[in-house]
């Protein structure tokens, strides 16, 4: 979700922290070493992920280009493609899917930093969180997608969502219109689709470009304490949002799901990756928290670790075959959100005492 929308969630925590700080003893002036806090680990971690993402995106692009070339050879006659080049087309799609399954978790590992940092947050909207313009104009992506055949898809939604919807057929508008029964059993199952090659190529090309642009931006970025605390305060209290997406996906709702995104990798896995990235951020500012209250510094670290473990436990149950109901998903989401709320309150309070500004 866009940085500006996530701020709507964190405002109560900031207000709470300001009140708490007003009741606390005056904080000591910042120490001479405060400005020299070493946050290089955050940038190093981010650059490791952006490098991996650019490589994975290039793999998706190579496979998608193979599929596009096959479609082009048949003059985009998808019936002919399915009849004459079926196995080659399936192989190219499966290669693109495998690379996509590699790329998506790489992005999730850095989403906490990207989405929570004002200078980088537009990348999160465009790559992973933004809506289509006709669905949510206030959280729409910034781009239109121009296809090789001259068509334009105005603000089609985030790029991982568009590519997922095209590769797995969760967005019918991005399919070729040809019935593709991959295993020939007479039943069209989830994932049995023949994508529109032009939509796939344009969206994957844009994803590859965005991945490279994000890497360049990350190289130019120097994290500040404000960036680090803002990322934590913005991104930790997003549990209800992610659990709602999980509830509405095929992992919980099954065939009744009408959600385009997040149907091939469980949102529970994404949450763990996001929290892992936020733990990296907190580890870098923890010395500053310890300078205020070592006990609270340890408590925040423990609570973050326990929140991640809570999600991991639910994820393990899912991977072992348990299908949760939408009602259970809501209950679990409320529990995760309560834990996140408590953590965010502590972090906001410490930021206030330290005089670190939470960016808007």
């Amino acid at each position: 979700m866009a940085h500006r929308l996530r701020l709507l969630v964190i405002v109560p925590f900031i207000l709470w922290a300001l009140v708490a700080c007003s009741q606390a003893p005056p904080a000591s002036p910042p120490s001479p070493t405060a400005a020299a806090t070493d946050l290089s680990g955050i940038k190093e971690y981010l650059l490791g992920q952006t490098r991996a993402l650019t490589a994975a995106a290039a793999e998706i692009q190579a496979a998608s280009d193979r599929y596009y070339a096959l479609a082009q050879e048949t003059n985009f006659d998808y019936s002919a493609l399915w009849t004459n080049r079926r196995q080659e087309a399936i192989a190219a799609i499966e290669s693109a899917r495998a690379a996509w399954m590699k790329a998506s978790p790489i992005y999730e590992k850095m989403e906490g930093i990207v989405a929570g940092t004002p200078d980088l947050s537009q990348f999160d909207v465009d790559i992973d969180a933004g809506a289509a313009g006709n669905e949510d104009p206030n959280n729409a992506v910034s781009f239109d997608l121009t296809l090789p055949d001259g068509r334009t898809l105005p603000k089609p939604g985030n790029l991982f969502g568009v590519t997922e919807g095209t590769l797995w057929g969760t967005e019918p508008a991005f399919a070729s219109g040809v019935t593709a029964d991959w295993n020939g059993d007479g039943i069209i199952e989830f994932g049995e689709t023949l994508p529109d090659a032009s939509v796939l190529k344009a969206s994957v090309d844009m994803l590859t470009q965005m991945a490279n642009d994000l890497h360049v931006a990350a190289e130019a970025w120097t994290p500040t304490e404000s960036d680090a605390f803002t990322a934590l305060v913005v991104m930790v209290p997003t549990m209800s949002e992610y659990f709602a997406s999980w509830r509405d996906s095929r992992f919980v709702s099954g065939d009744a799901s009408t959600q385009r995104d997040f149907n091939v990798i469980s949102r529970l896995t994404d949450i763990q990756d996001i929290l892992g990235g936020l733990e990296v951020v907190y580890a870098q500012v923890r010395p500053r928290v310890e300078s205020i209250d070592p006990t609270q510094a340890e408590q925040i670290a423990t609570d973050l670790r326990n929140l991640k473990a809570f999600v991991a436990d639910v994820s393990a149950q899912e991977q072992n075959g348990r299908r949760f109901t939408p009602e259970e998903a809501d209950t679990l989401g409320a529990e995760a959100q309560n834990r996140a709320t408590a953590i965010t309150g502590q972090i906001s309070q410490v930021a206030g005492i330290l005089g670190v500004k939470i960016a808007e």
Side-chain angles (χ1 to χ4, degrees):
M1 181 178 292
H3 177 74
R4 63 182 181 275
L5 294 182
R6 282 180 170 134
L7 283 174
L8 297 176
V9 179
I10 66 166
V11 166
F13 303 129
I14 298 174
L15 294 176
W16 175 87
L18 290 173
V19 171
C21 290
S22 69
Q23 297 171 346
S28 302
S31 69
T33 60
T37 302
D38 183 8
L39 302 177
S40 60
I42 299 174
K43 181 169 181 175
E44 181 180 354
Y45 174 83
L46 176 60
L47 287 174
Q49 301 308 314
T50 57
R51 291 189 191 98
L53 180 61
T54 58
E59 291 182 33
I60 310 173
Q61 188 177 45
S64 299
D65 283 348
R66 288 199 299 273
Y67 177 72
Y68 183 84
L70 289 169
Q72 192 173 41
E73 288 174 14
T74 63
N75 198 28
F76 302 99
D77 181 339
Y78 290 98
S79 294
L81 174 62
W82 185 243
T83 300
N84 301 321
R85 311 294 291 273
R86 178 177 309 186
Q87 294 308 317
E88 293 168 271
I90 289 175
I93 296 166
E94 287 182 330
S95 293
R97 287 178 177 179
W100 190 98
M101 295 283 284
K102 182 192 299 186
S104 179
I106 292 170
Y107 179 75
E108 299 298 339
K109 288 180 174 68
M110 62 173 143
E111 183 178 6
I113 299 171
V114 177
T117 300
D119 288 346
L120 303 174
S121 61
Q122 186 60 48
F123 285 105
D124 181 61
V125 176
D126 290 339
I127 292 174
D128 191 61
N134 62 349
E135 294 174 353
D136 184 358
N138 293 322
N139 189 39
V141 296
S142 66
F143 61 88
D144 297 334
L145 201 59
T146 301
L147 310 189
D149 59 13
R151 288 177 291 161
T152 298
L153 303 180
K155 294 184 170 46
N158 70 80
L159 290 165
F160 270 119
V162 174
T163 51
E164 177 182 346
T166 307
L167 284 168
W168 276 272
T170 54
E171 176 50 76
F174 300 159
S176 65
V178 171
T179 300
D181 183 3
W182 282 32
N183 59 12
D185 65 355
I187 301 172
I188 301 300
E189 299 174 344
F190 176 71
E192 292 188 325
T193 185
L194 197 64
D196 182 321
S198 290
V199 175
L200 182 61
K201 178 170 176 53
S203 58
V204 170
D205 286 351
M206 179 68 79
L207 176 61
T208 304
Q209 175 187 321
M210 284 279 186
N212 281 280
D213 289 348
L214 173 57
H215 178 67
V216 171
E219 285 187 315
W221 174 63
T222 300
T224 65
E225 284 190 351
S226 176
D227 289 333
F229 277 96
T230 296
L232 292 166
V233 172
V234 168
M235 293 302 297
V236 171
T238 55
M239 294 300 103
S240 59
E241 170 191 331
Y242 291 122
F243 270 83
S245 179
W246 173 57
R247 176 199 64 208
D248 295 338
S249 74
R250 292 181 58 84
F251 288 94
V252 175
S253 298
D255 291 339
S257 174
T258 59
Q259 182 170 277
R260 183 177 77 184
D261 304 359
F262 310 116
N263 284 301
V264 297
I265 296 177
S266 174
R267 236 16 196 149
L268 297 176
T269 301
D270 291 345
I271 295 169
Q272 294 173 76
D273 287 338
I274 292 166
L275 288 173
L278 291 172
E279 285 184 313
V280 171
V281 175
Y282 179 68
Q284 294 291 289
V285 298
R286 180 170 175 171
R288 289 284 279 145
V289 182
E290 288 174 339
S291 73
I292 300 298
D293 187 338
T295 300
Q296 188 171 27
E298 173 60 28
Q299 188 63 55
I300 293 171
T302 299
D303 289 348
L304 274 171
R305 186 166 55 249
N306 288 343
L307 173 58
K308 186 180 176 184
F310 170 79
V311 178
D313 178 66
V314 180
S315 179
Q317 293 181 58
E318 180 180 68
Q319 291 174 18
N320 287 330
R322 178 172 177 180
R323 171 62 68 86
F324 290 90
T325 67
E327 292 75 20
E328 288 173 327
D330 283 338
T331 299
L332 291 165
E335 170 64 20
Q337 186 63 40
N338 287 338
R339 290 171 180 247
T341 297
I343 295 167
T344 306
Q346 293 184 72
I347 295 172
S348 297
Q349 182 184 28
V350 170
I353 294 172
L354 291 170
V356 176
K357 180 181 179 181
I358 303 300
E360 297 182 2

